[in-house]
Amino acid sequence: MTILETKALRKIYGSGEAEVRALDGVDLQVEKGEFAAVAGTSGSGKSTLLHMLGGLDRPTSGSVTVDGKNIFSLKDEALTIFRRRKIGFVFQNYNLVPVLSVYENIVLPIQLDGQKPDTAYVEQIIETLGLEKKLRNLPNNLSGGQQQRVAIARALAAKPAIILADEPTGNLDTKTSLDVMGLLKITSQKFSQTIVMITHNEDIAQMADRIIRIEDGRIRSAQGTHGEEA
């Protein structure tokens, strides 16, 4: 089942000689439960693509469909609600609220939506990510790897259709990066969670199910990490 799809997605900045085609006709499909990595160098368009997939910026033309909904058919307020309910984010800088405990950070998006957390599900996520003994800590009392685990737990807790991870290991050392990637892969499999991850790191990309390579705003290839065309 296709959970995420883009059609002829374009984002153009400027005009005339100053025109920059950050995205130049991107067609992409991601299946439910898939862990896909979007890999490319700086300036390739991967971050712009992530912003479009998450509804954080509107395209010049084209469409993004998440869980059957063309997200850019929604007005701003409705898009904000849809994003909160259907799209989880994991950022390079964690984006945790410093005055809230680990547990409060994890359930915050659910509470902002006026909902009650699925306690059993949240506890399962916490156990999977090894955060049981850190729930009362504030973020500044955690290591970078622990903070990123909290960010992953927060993204999972609302049961989103997709999780978008923007260079999730960018601020971590090699060992911690591999630990976090292992946890992302485990959570993808255990909770049948769809994850799209942006990265410039080839070793990190290889840990995904499929690598989508982007260059000059266009998809150049999409290949399973065992070499098959995808």
Side-chain angles (χ1 to χ4, degrees), residues 32 48 50 55 75 99 105 183 188 217 227:
K32 181 173 173 58
T48 303
L50 187 88
K75 293 183 178 179
V99 296
N105 266 286
L183 289 168
S188 174

Side-chain angles (χ1 to χ4, degrees), residues 72-161:
F72 295 117
S73 68
L74 300 171
K75 293 183 178 179
D76 287 349
E77 185 176 351
L79 177 55
T80 298
I81 293 169
F82 183 89
R83 189 167 56 228
R84 192 162 60 220
R85 293 176 178 174
K86 293 289 187 176
I87 304 172
F89 293 93
V90 179
F91 295 102
Q92 181 175 338
N93 294 321
Y94 322 131
N95 283 19
L96 303 178
V97 181
V99 296
L100 297 182
S101 70
V102 164
Y103 185 80
E104 289 167 337
N105 266 286
I106 291 170
V107 299
L108 179 62
I110 302 170
Q111 293 175 335
L112 287 173
D113 199 34
Q115 306 296 319
K116 290 185 177 181
D118 180 338
T119 306
Y121 182 70
V122 172
E123 287 177 355
Q124 192 178 4
I125 293 167
I126 288 167
E127 183 180 341
T128 300
L129 293 170
L131 292 169
E132 307 98 307
K133 297 180 180 179
K134 301 293 183 181
L135 296 181
R136 294 184 180 180
N137 288 44
L138 294 177
N140 63 3
N141 293 324
L142 303 177
S143 68
Q146 289 168 339
Q147 289 187 62
Q148 196 58 294
R149 290 182 187 210
V150 178
I152 293 167
R154 179 183 59 189
L156 284 164
K159 302 180 183 178

